[in-house]
Amino acid sequence: MLPVSISRRSLLKTSLILAASTGLTGIAAAQQAGGGRLIVAADSEPKNLNPAIVASNGVFYISSKVIEPLAEASFKGRDGLEPRLATEWSGSDDGLTATFKLREGVTWHDGKPFTSADVAFSALQVWKPLQNLGRLVFANLEAVETPDDHTAIFRFSNPTPFQLVRNALPVVTSVLPKHLYEGTDIANNPANTKPVGTGPYVFAEHKPGEYYRLTRYANYWDKSQALLDDIIYKVLPDRAAAASALEADEIQLAAFSAVPLADLERISKVPGIKVIADGYEALTYQLVVEINHRRKELSDLKVRQAIAHAIDKKFVVDTIFLGYASASTGPIPKNSTEFYSDDVASYDFDIAKANALLDEAGYARKADGTRFALKLLPAPYFNETKQFGSYLRQALQKIGIDAELVNNDSAAHQKAVYTDHNFDLAVAPPVFRGDPAISTTILVRSGIPAGVGFSNQGGYENKSVDELIDKAAITVNATARTELYKDFQKQVVANLPIINVAEWGFITVARDSVHNVASNPRWAVSNWADTTISR
């Protein structure tokens, strides 16, 4: 669970416990009766709704109710997982095979049976060659054997840690119907915008600028689930509008902090509304300062250490995130109990030490008090990343670094940082997805081609760090692999290729009529099969 400010998040949890203890009868009745329409806020409209190709939270938010993975994250399940389309999974000791027993009696929304052929097709034709994250996890996948309709055996050309495969299951294994994709241009298949899956809800329609509508799948494999009649995603790009719509009961739920953090304390006191801090434990976002090591000053470790000492992480957590975050110690968040280590260097907020380091590095202050100038690009995706950019500019001023703040839209920011390398410092919000090999090591691994987002486009090169990453990629023993990643954390924090500042989960705000919210660590991007609404 993500460590956060006790004064805020524990208060929210206490409120929820009290609500639950006084409303169990109503909740049970709602679960038994089922039915109803759930209207939720959507702040964007993904162009592609196929999570097997685009494994992103914006896509999962809608499509995870339609298209299912082999397994989902769980608070209680073994290894933090619970079965979905797979009921059992295991890996060989040599890391060359992974075997999945598949669920029987499952049908696609068009009535066709789900079989191992769908899994084999998805893995070889979609996850490995096309998916943003699957390309890494399944890089060495060479074949998928299907001895029967409910067994899939993955064969790897080189040892692939099952620990990685297992941790990646919820994110990278969305299964597609072979009969709708085989022989087509997969990337441009019409089903990418009108998905067909095995999940509890069927994609019904999308009215651009207004809403998406999903309807209950009557033949869902778990007959006790799929409890809503339909789910409406109302397009509300303005976060203030989401708060107003909740208060007016025009929508019943807003996930992913669609209600601004500054409004949470007020809205939590509105009768009929609850603020929920759980359900994002497996979706930890990290506030990171990306560094262009091609810049002479920034290639100096003392300069990077000075910048780290100039950042007041407590101020960032308390003021920018209003307590709904925690200070980072390194590239792996604290709530990743399997991999996290606090045995790393620390850079306490210390302006005097930061100035001394810059003096030692040979960057004396000029007559105007500045040492040198930098170009600073904050990511435009969240208010918090933009606010941190403004804060960082002020923090750097205090140590004599003149930072020019450059605010771009999403497309221009990604091009400037990840393709053109036209930045000195950038602010990024990468996501930790359960295993360091997914979306984390890529931030510091050298040799990443230009144009790959959320990756090491700063030109940092460290042979020792690269060797650690490469060794972990083929270490099949989970204990040994975990130790490698603990060493990885130590080396990254000591060398500061990036600066990890904070880590946070999101907040869900819902009407009291919505039940079974935050029932797993990826709740917002899971299937909502057990979610109910009462009136």
Side-chain angles (χ1 to χ4, degrees):
M1 187 174 296
L2 184 65
V4 293
S5 167
I6 293 177
S7 62
R8 290 185 178 272
R9 187 161 286 192
S10 63
L11 177 61
L12 297 177
K13 288 186 177 181
T14 300
S15 299
L16 289 176
I17 291 169
L18 290 172
S21 66
T22 58
L24 291 177
T25 302
I27 291 174
Q31 289 173 334
Q32 185 176 8
R37 166 174 288 180
L38 175 63
I39 306 175
V40 305
D43 64 359
S44 64
E45 294 179 86
K47 294 179 180 179
N48 189 326
L49 286 173
N50 186 343
I53 295 177
V54 184
S56 74
N57 290 337
V59 175
F60 279 128
Y61 184 44
I62 298 170
S63 296
S64 58
K65 289 71 184 165
V66 178
I67 298 175
E68 294 185 297
L70 296 177
E72 184 53 274
S74 169
F75 288 124
K76 298 178 180 179
R78 181 181 176 184
D79 296 321
L81 295 172
E82 62 184 32
R84 284 292 188 267
L85 290 178
T87 57
E88 299 177 27
W89 44 86
S90 61
S92 63
D93 291 340
D94 59 8
L96 295 176
T97 64
T99 301
F100 297 91
K101 294 295 183 181
L102 305 178
R103 190 176 298 278
E104 300 184 27
V106 178
T107 59
W108 295 99
H109 293 158
D110 61 6
K112 301 288 186 181
F114 159 76
T115 72
S116 56
D118 297 306
V119 175
F121 175 82
S122 298
L124 292 170
Q125 303 302 319
V126 188
W127 305 341
K128 176 179 177 176
L130 299 178
Q131 192 191 78
N132 53 332
L133 301 178
R135 290 173 178 174
L136 169 66
V137 177
F138 298 111
N140 294 314
L141 181 66
E142 62 178 1
V144 178
E145 297 176 5
T146 54
D148 58 59
D149 282 350
H150 301 102
T151 304
I153 303 172
F154 287 37
R155 302 271 181 202
F156 298 95
S157 57
N158 289 303
T160 298
F162 189 69
Q163 182 188 41
L164 167 61
V165 174
R166 183 195 70 210
N167 289 340
L169 291 178
V171 182
V172 304
T173 63
S174 297
V175 183
L176 300 181
K178 178 181 177 181
H179 64 278
L180 293 182
Y181 278 90
E182 188 175 33
T184 74
D185 178 357
I186 294 173
N188 295 296
N189 190 298
N192 293 339
T193 55
K194 296 180 179 179
V196 175
T198 60
Y201 295 96
V202 178
F203 184 85
E205 64 177 323
H206 171 214
K207 192 165 185 179
E210 295 188 31
Y211 63 84
Y212 296 87
R213 182 167 66 93
L214 312 181
T215 59
R216 180 177 179 271
Y217 182 41
N219 294 319
Y220 185 52
W221 53 263
D222 188 341
K223 303 305 180 186
S224 68
Q225 303 287 279
L227 302 174
L228 299 165
D229 290 329
D230 58 4
I231 303 172
I232 304 292
Y233 291 85
K234 188 174 182 178
V235 178
L236 294 171
D238 182 356
R239 295 207 290 178
S244 298
L246 274 164
E247 293 183 72
D249 203 13
E250 295 171 356
I251 65 173
Q252 290 80 50
L253 186 141
F256 284 111
S257 298
V259 174
L261 296 181
D263 289 345
L264 291 180
E265 185 170 356
R266 178 191 63 79
I267 205 168
S268 68
K269 298 174 183 177
V270 174
I273 289 180
K274 54 190 175 184
V275 178
I276 304 162
D278 295 326
Y280 299 95
E281 290 80 357
L283 301 172
T284 304
Y285 276 70
Q286 299 172 285
L287 185 68
V288 170
V289 179
E290 297 174 303
I291 299 170
N292 194 337
H293 294 257
R294 302 173 186 84
R295 177 70 186 255
K296 176 178 178 294
E297 294 90 341
L298 297 176
S299 67
D300 189 325
L301 177 58
K302 288 184 177 181
V303 173
R304 302 197 297 275
Q305 290 173 331
I307 294 172
H309 280 296
I311 297 172
D312 185 346
K313 294 181 180 179
K314 185 178 187 304
F315 177 88
V316 172
V317 168
D318 291 346
T319 306
I320 294 177
F321 289 95
L322 302 180
Y324 297 103
S326 65
S328 291
T329 60
I332 296 177
K334 300 180 185 71
N335 67 347
S336 177
T337 55
E338 185 175 17
F339 297 104
Y340 174 73
S341 172
D342 61 1
D343 184 19
V344 297
S346 62
Y347 300 91
D348 297 333
F349 176 56
D350 191 331
I351 293 295
K353 188 168 187 176
N355 277 306
L357 283 164
L358 290 171
D359 289 340
E360 291 173 20
Y363 297 105
R365 289 182 183 266
K366 303 171 187 174
D368 63 359
T370 64
R371 303 175 189 272
F372 53 84
L374 295 175
K375 185 181 293 185
L376 170 60
L377 279 65
Y381 317 119
F382 303 110
N383 284 342
E384 291 75 24
T385 53
K386 292 183 283 188
Q387 290 169 6
F388 176 74
S390 298
Y391 161 78
L392 183 57
R393 179 178 181 273
Q394 296 173 11
L396 294 174
Q397 284 179 334
K398 294 179 181 179
I399 59 174
I401 298 176
D402 182 17
E404 175 193 0
L405 202 60
V406 180
N407 289 300
N408 291 317
D409 63 20
S410 178
H413 177 81
Q414 290 187 36
K415 185 175 186 295
V417 176
Y418 302 114
T419 301
D420 298 340
H421 308 144
N422 185 20
F423 76 104
D424 295 315
L425 300 176
V427 181
V431 184
F432 183 82
R433 298 186 183 273
D435 193 286
I438 311 172
S439 304
T440 302
T441 56
I442 196 172
L443 297 171
V444 298
R445 180 67 169 84
S446 68
I448 304 296
V452 178
F454 299 105
S455 68
N456 176 15
Q457 295 299 332
Y460 175 75
E461 295 185 22
N462 185 313
K463 183 178 179 181
S464 178
V465 171
D466 287 350
E467 288 176 349
L468 265 178
I469 294 171
D470 293 345
K471 186 175 181 181
I474 59 173
T475 298
V476 297
N477 180 276
T479 301
R481 184 170 178 267
T482 298
E483 288 304 312
L484 288 171
Y485 281 125
K486 290 183 177 180
D487 194 9
F488 164 79
Q489 291 169 81
K490 183 179 292 188
Q491 291 200 34
V492 168
V493 177
N495 291 286
L496 291 177
I498 57 176
I499 299 173
N500 287 83
V501 179
E503 49 206 46
W504 81 98
F506 289 100
I507 302 294
T508 297
V509 182
R511 303 291 306 187
D512 287 344
S513 56
V514 185
H515 312 295
N516 287 336
V517 175
S519 56
N520 71 61
R522 295 178 74 247
W523 182 80
V525 295
S526 66
N527 68 14
W528 294 8
D530 63 346
T531 299
T532 62
I533 187 166
S534 59
R535 291 295 182 183

